[in-house]
Amino acid sequence: MTDVLEAGTAPAAQGSTQGSTQDRPQERRRDAAATWWRQAVVYQVYPRSFADADGDGLGDLAGVTARVPHLARLGVDAVWLSPFYPSQLADGGYDVDDHRAVDPRLGTLEQFDEMVAALHGAGIKVVVDIVPNHSSDQHRWFREALAAAPGSPERDRYVFARGRGEHGELPPSDWTAVFGGPAWEHVGDGEWYLHMFAPEQPDWNWANREVREDFLRTLRFWADRGVDGFRVDVAHALAKDMSLPLPTAAELAADDLPDGAHRLTDRDEVHEIYREWRELFDSYDPPRTAVAEAWVPAHRRARYASPEGLGQAFNFDLLQADPDAATFRRVVEDNLRLARESGASSTWVLSNHDVVRHATRYALPAGTDLQAWLLGGGTDPAPDRERGLRLARAATAFVLALPGSAYLYQGEELGLPEVADLPADVLQDPTWVRSAGAEKGRDGCRVPLPWSASAPALGFSTGTPHLPQPAWFAGLAADVQEADPSSTLSFYREALAVRRRLRTEEELTWVDGTGDGVVAFTRPGGWTCVTNLGDGAVELPAGRVVLASGPLDGRALPPGTTAWLTDEDAQQDERQDAQGPTGR
Ligand code: GLC
């Protein structure tokens, strides 16, 4: 790994783009081919649980290739793949042994290329996950660091520190890891290494130039293989100030620290790293895109999302909000303002591989402690599944009508709820063990997808799925929903198709006076979205209904329902609509 500068040549530098905007990245960024991500629907594949082609019970890349028709029919613009790199799965693949390879259990680089070709052939872009805060403890450089002496260049690639006490037998500080337990691990010679997540995930030292060069090489490696963009894991945590004395956990948690002054996260110098990445992204034509997973206060998000930085950042505000009209409106207003400030487009996320699925969140009373609920097996309080799915579909239709990109998580197009009653002996999330059983973790949203109601393992695998699927998943299988025009799958397909047709400029105008608990807006081109999160039905405004997240009652929009209307041929179509409900 010393030849870090030899890596592949960017296509833009290969002469094929002569006379294009190759030397003018600012202009190139404005090309249509370069702005696809701004209002894209991006579908997250969690590869181990998506589709298993080789029957070992773990989803794989050939499984994704085999399911490209599903993704194409769904109508997504891009797929984001969670890590598929070699990994001991201490954290579901976010413990990466080698960033420039495919986990042999998930396939080969040739199968990766085949998958990309199949997705591109279907007009779907490919985004891969980059995990730059930590490697796995099996990474070659970490093995070398352990074998080397304190103070060596090998150790400098990670965050090692001498322990306290005469022989360094006490951790350098009292910091705790995100998954629970201490954030330091002793290596036996008086030094400890930092892991903000599991002990199997040692943090990189981003002050080390070799680490930076190695990640540039990784980005080039995938960009050269045709990857269109990157999702950047824990993007806010790379830069750290490890100067002595180290603060205590209580000092770290103090909320009066000035912006950018936290020792471990969201430091200003993290943006120097992304400026360098941006230069690399812009050396491609079209430029590669990136989206930051940065858990930072909203006003700090813009720098991650700026065109000089990663270009886009996740906003998890809706994912954390109760389904309440005033809250939804406020979140959207705030985020559209932030997007304008950064020059990015906004991102909308209701579910991903780290959180309880939104069909289940909305099935529970507001304020339910989700981890406590999971610990109890998901029975207390009893989820109102029907309400959960109704609201989930309404929220999805709301999100899909907004300017910006929508990130969908595999299985939400089937309306999957969380599997809340996984037994302790099958749990894989390190959170479960590291929290000593106080938190069950994230496995309930990572259960392999049900494709076919009557096939073994519901069509996911010919073997035994790595997490057990509940029997009731059969009723939600894709092939069951395929035939049902009122199914959640049919609704998602229709919503994505209509969205593609109506997609216009990145603006919206709020519509007031539509009723209690209702949030409504119009988009340029005469498109209105009305979401009823209140308790009673409300009258729809004028316009032809082009999508409804649930049954309508004539011109009445029932609670927990979203409708999209256009003003095309409004009067004629209103008459038609008045003749009966659309059913979906
Ligand atoms: C991100 C990932 C999560 C992972 C963590 C550590 O938050 O989304 O799944 O556990 O980073 O890599």
Side-chain angles (χ1 to χ4, degrees):
M1 289 200 198
T2 47
D3 51 343
V4 287
L5 291 173
E6 117 309 315
T9 315
Q14 286 172 347
S16 59
T17 52
Q18 224 181 1
S20 77
T21 51
Q22 132 179 13
D23 300 321
R24 304 188 298 277
Q26 298 292 345
E27 274 175 46
R28 192 144 27 85
R29 273 192 220 129
R30 285 194 291 269
D31 288 355
T35 54
W36 64 266
W37 53 273
R38 294 191 69 93
Q39 296 202 65
V41 174
V42 185
Y43 180 97
Q44 181 188 358
V45 166
Y46 190 75
R48 288 174 182 79
S49 300
F50 186 68
D52 174 24
D54 68 5
D56 67 355
L58 274 185
D60 45 37
L61 300 184
V64 178
T65 306
R67 296 292 178 182
V68 168
H70 172 81
L71 300 167
R73 176 83 180 81
L74 187 57
V76 301
D77 299 299
V79 158
W80 145 36
L81 292 140
S82 278
F84 49 82
Y85 315 110
S87 167
Q88 307 306 305
L89 303 185
D91 179 22
Y94 284 89
D95 47 320
V96 178
D97 297 351
D98 178 356
H99 242 124
R100 297 188 286 273
V102 173
D103 186 331
R105 290 167 296 183
L106 270 65
T108 60
L109 276 172
E110 288 67 38
Q111 286 174 332
F112 178 83
D113 294 341
E114 283 162 21
M115 179 194 70
V116 171
L119 286 163
H120 281 169
I124 299 172
K125 310 270 191 221
V126 181
V127 172
V128 299
D129 220 308
I130 291 295
V131 189
N133 180 66
H134 41 266
S135 71
S136 83
D137 61 352
Q138 300 304 309
H139 191 285
R140 184 157 68 90
W141 275 2
F142 191 70
R143 310 306 304 165
E144 286 175 16
L146 288 184
S152 60
E154 287 83 358
R155 287 221 173 160
D156 190 58
R157 294 171 182 145
Y158 289 90
V159 184
F160 279 86
R162 177 150 183 93
R164 289 168 299 152
E166 197 182 339
H167 304 291
E169 67 280 9
L170 298 171
S173 71
D174 65 344
W175 301 346
T176 51
V178 173
F179 294 146
W184 295 99
E185 197 73 7
H186 197 192
V187 297
D189 56 14
E191 285 217 329
W192 298 64
Y193 70 85
L194 179 71
H195 58 88
M196 282 177 63
F197 293 89
E200 295 87 351
Q201 293 168 297
D203 281 40
W204 289 111
N205 171 18
W206 275 87
N208 180 298
R209 191 64 220 171
E210 276 185 293
V211 170
R212 292 192 183 214
E213 296 293 349
D214 196 56
F215 267 89
L216 292 173
R217 184 179 179 199
T218 293
L219 295 170
R220 274 191 215 106
F221 180 87
W222 295 110
D224 288 347
R225 290 197 105 85
V227 154
D228 303 281
F230 300 92
R231 178 264 187 189
V232 182
D233 191 64
V234 203
H236 55 302
L238 278 47
K240 299 179 178 76
D241 174 5
M242 299 305 295
S243 56
L244 299 174
L246 297 177
T248 63
E251 285 162 350
L252 271 187
D255 57 9
D256 58 352
L257 292 170
D259 279 351
H262 192 282
R263 285 292 199 105
L264 299 180
T265 67
D266 195 28
R267 296 184 60 76
D268 289 335
E269 58 275 23
V270 78
H271 300 289
E272 290 162 20
I273 298 168
Y274 299 133
R275 261 195 295 279
E276 210 169 10
W277 288 22
R278 174 46 59 191
E279 275 174 33
L280 183 149
F281 298 152
D282 283 352
S283 73
Y284 286 83
D285 189 7
R288 300 318 192 228
T289 68
V291 57
E293 186 217 22
W295 291 89
V296 297
H299 72 278
R300 298 279 293 172
R301 213 178 281 143
R303 292 185 72 186
Y304 295 86
S306 84
E308 289 73 41
L310 292 173
Q312 203 180 39
F314 282 131
N315 114 53
F316 295 121
D317 300 350
L318 274 185
L319 177 153
Q320 299 177 92
D322 291 330
D324 158 83
T327 311
F328 271 31
R329 176 166 169 167
R330 181 183 45 74
V331 165
V332 172
E333 281 171 340
D334 289 352
N335 280 286
L336 292 182
R337 182 177 42 75
L338 289 169
R340 276 194 299 277
E341 276 170 32
S342 68
S345 64
S346 199
T347 56
W348 307 108
V349 187
L350 292 169
S351 280
N352 64 29
H353 67 298
D354 287 332
V355 297
V356 170
R357 286 183 177 276
H358 66 288
T360 293
R361 294 200 310 271
Y362 298 156
L364 296 167
T368 302
D369 175 340
L370 296 169
Q371 280 303 325
W373 180 78
L374 285 173
L375 267 186
T379 52
D380 184 19
D384 180 344
R385 278 228 190 140
E386 193 273 326
R387 177 174 189 272
L389 183 57
R390 183 160 25 95
L391 282 169
R393 286 168 57 147
T396 296
F398 174 79
V399 156
L400 289 173
L402 293 170
S405 22
Y407 285 79
L408 310 179
Y409 176 51
Q410 68 179 37
E412 68 169 84
E413 77 278 24
L414 304 177
L416 290 189
E418 190 82 359
V419 180
D421 58 355
L422 288 170
D425 61 349
V426 304
L427 296 179
Q428 301 172 6
D429 187 342
T431 306
W432 170 246
V433 170
R434 303 290 303 162
S435 71
E439 289 195 21
K440 213 166 165 185
R442 302 161 291 177
D443 293 308
C445 67
R446 299 175 179 180
V447 173
L449 293 191
W451 292 99
S452 169
S454 53
L458 303 176
F460 165 72
S461 171
T462 53
T464 307
H466 68 102
L467 279 171
Q469 298 159 301
W472 51 263
F473 254 35
L476 296 166
D479 67 345
V480 173
Q481 300 202 30
E482 181 79 47
D484 174 3
S486 69
S487 70
T488 302
L489 179 59
S490 299
F491 158 68
Y492 266 72
R493 286 173 173 170
E494 195 180 349
L496 266 56
V498 178
R499 172 188 160 103
R500 193 178 284 267
R501 179 159 66 78
L502 296 180
R503 195 154 50 183
T504 55
E505 292 101 90
E506 296 171 20
E507 287 168 27
L508 64 68
T509 307
W510 297 105
V511 179
D512 292 315
T514 41
D516 272 356
V518 176
V519 55
F521 56 86
T522 58
R523 298 283 310 272
W527 174 25
T528 304
C529 173
V530 191
T531 300
N532 182 2
L533 298 171
D535 297 326
V538 295
E539 185 67 14
L540 281 172
R544 179 166 74 94
V545 175
V546 287
L547 182 86
S549 66
L552 300 181
D553 183 8
R555 295 294 298 179
L557 181 68
T561 311
T562 292
W564 297 354
L565 305 100
T566 64
D567 58 14
E568 314 156 352
D569 305 318
Q571 291 186 356
Q572 179 202 327
D573 293 317
E574 260 178 65
R575 275 196 300 278
Q576 276 176 10
D577 289 342
Q579 286 164 12
T582 68
R584 53 197 165 98

